[in-house]
Amino acid sequence: MSAVPSRPQTPTHMPVMLEEVVELLQPRNGGRYLDATVGLGGHAAAVLESSSPNGQLIGADADDMALAIANDRLAPYGDRVQLHRSWLDEAPDLVREIGRAPLDGALCDLGVSSLQLESSARGFSLQADGPLDMRMNVSADHTDGPSVDEVVNHWPASQLADLIYEFGEERRSRRIARIIVERRPIAGTADLAAAVVAAVGRRPGSRIHPATRVFQALRIATNRELDRLSDFLMQVRAILRVGGRLVVIAFHSLEDRIVKRFLRDQARADEPPFRLLTRRVLRPSERECAENPRARSARLRAAEAI
């Protein structure tokens, strides 16, 4: 784990489904909680408020820039909060290493943060040109997954198409991959987005950019997001006390399918480790979606350790 760097400029941040998270997590005075994807600290602040005056929170994130902002935001809570750089799948080991298990609750919000989306230099944005990067942890020399530049500029069309189809659920993946290969070298995200538009065009009136699913697929691959989520879920029961709660917010069907199947299988086991708190997926209210359009695709599921 590394020290938290100096704080960059704070972007607009509205934590998704905040009321539902607090209601399901049920923070209490003296409780111990993990926010395994602390991001800019919005959910964490609410958990700390609701567990006053002595609740404790461990915040983990792979993004140093996000941690710097969360560090500033959560500073008023003093030693009630500890922040650490950690990938999602490393967070359970972190909790044990610092002696905070068993926990009363664990939360992970799997969305890309406003900090990442609003910084063209990170390569996540479809609105401005940036490098073919998309790493959550920009201080690392590499990720466990393939680099975005390697995939876009060096993979054969068939392999590129398979990745776009599997992780982006993009039915037009073959055509998109062929056009990308024809246009190589792809210099940055603007080139990549233009290649996708050339392959599939734009739907009149649609607010969704045609390259959204392609960018999603590349981000998932380079950060190994689905593998990390599965590994986290397999470990999380071991760091929760009986009655401890797990809340997960997913933002696309691949993530949500992993969470849904995991919790369903756990609840149906002969000696179930969890009972479901959400029989059906929860979605944000119409009011929240109007106030925060990025919340539209959020899907929340929760369970209690038994």
Side-chain angles (χ1 to χ4, degrees):
M1 309 307 160
S2 68
V4 175
S6 59
R7 179 176 65 89
Q9 183 178 359
T10 304
T12 303
H13 175 55
M14 299 176 67
V16 172
M17 301 186 73
L18 187 60
E19 292 182 6
E20 293 87 344
V21 167
V22 172
E23 180 181 350
L24 286 162
L25 203 58
Q26 292 189 344
R28 62 175 179 82
N29 179 26
R32 294 189 288 198
Y33 303 91
L34 166 69
D35 188 338
T37 52
V38 72
L40 307 187
H43 290 115
V47 172
L48 287 161
E49 283 292 328
S50 299
S51 63
S52 293
N54 296 313
Q56 297 180 337
L57 181 131
I58 302 149
D61 206 285
D63 189 333
D64 277 336
M65 296 181 185
L67 284 173
I69 292 174
N71 186 58
D72 186 72
R73 182 173 194 160
L74 303 176
Y77 301 100
D79 60 5
R80 291 179 56 204
V81 58
Q82 293 185 38
L83 299 180
H84 299 265
R85 189 176 76 187
S86 170
W87 288 102
L88 174 62
D89 56 328
E90 298 170 342
D93 280 342
L94 167 66
V95 170
R96 284 186 282 261
E97 286 171 10
I98 63 176
R100 290 294 185 267
L103 298 172
D104 295 277
L107 162 70
C108 55
D109 172 355
L110 302 170
V112 180
S113 76
S114 52
L115 171 70
Q116 293 155 344
L117 289 172
E118 293 173 12
S119 173
S120 60
R122 302 291 297 274
F124 294 97
S125 176
L126 281 158
Q127 309 307 318
D129 192 24
L132 296 175
D133 193 338
M134 302 190 195
R135 290 172 298 159
M136 295 293 187
N137 180 356
V138 294
S139 64
D141 293 332
H142 61 84
T143 65
D144 292 341
S147 73
V148 173
D149 180 74
E150 175 189 348
V151 173
V152 169
N153 281 314
H154 300 285
W155 279 20
S158 60
Q159 191 177 0
L160 175 58
D162 287 347
L163 183 144
I164 293 170
Y165 182 80
E166 180 181 0
F167 291 156
E169 299 182 294
E170 173 56 73
R171 291 176 296 176
R172 299 163 295 182
S173 63
R174 298 289 169 197
R175 176 168 176 77
I176 291 170
R178 178 170 60 81
I179 297 299
I180 289 173
V181 170
E182 288 176 359
R183 289 185 167 217
R184 285 173 174 168
I186 304 295
T189 56
D191 272 1
L192 177 59
V196 177
V197 172
V200 300
R202 287 181 178 270
R203 287 186 180 178
S206 176
R207 294 180 297 179
I208 301 174
H209 194 286
T212 297
R213 291 179 180 271
V214 175
F215 276 54
Q216 172 187 300
L218 294 167
R219 191 199 75 230
I220 288 173
T222 198
N223 293 291
R224 293 185 53 246
E225 294 177 27
L226 302 184
D227 289 342
R228 294 188 191 282
L229 172 60
S230 296
D231 289 348
F232 171 81
L233 292 172
M234 291 301 295
Q235 299 177 71
V236 71
R237 176 61 186 89
I239 60 169
L240 291 172
R241 68 169 180 84
V242 172
R245 294 190 163 202
L246 170 66
V247 177
V248 183
I249 304 174
F251 284 83
H252 54 75
S253 60
L254 293 173
E255 293 171 338
D256 185 58
R257 194 176 303 137
I258 290 171
V259 178
K260 176 183 178 180
R261 289 175 177 172
F262 172 80
L263 293 179
R264 178 198 64 196
D265 292 348
Q266 294 281 295
R268 291 178 178 175
D270 291 338
E271 297 182 5
F274 285 103
R275 74 175 181 90
L276 299 178
L277 296 173
T278 50
R279 292 291 173 182
R280 295 182 178 179
V281 68
L282 300 185
R283 304 299 293 263
S285 66
E286 290 184 7
R287 177 180 177 181
E288 180 174 2
C289 291
E291 294 175 349
N292 180 16
R294 288 179 182 165
R296 287 192 303 263
S297 56
R299 311 167 192 205
L300 187 152
R301 297 184 189 271
E304 182 179 49
I306 58 176

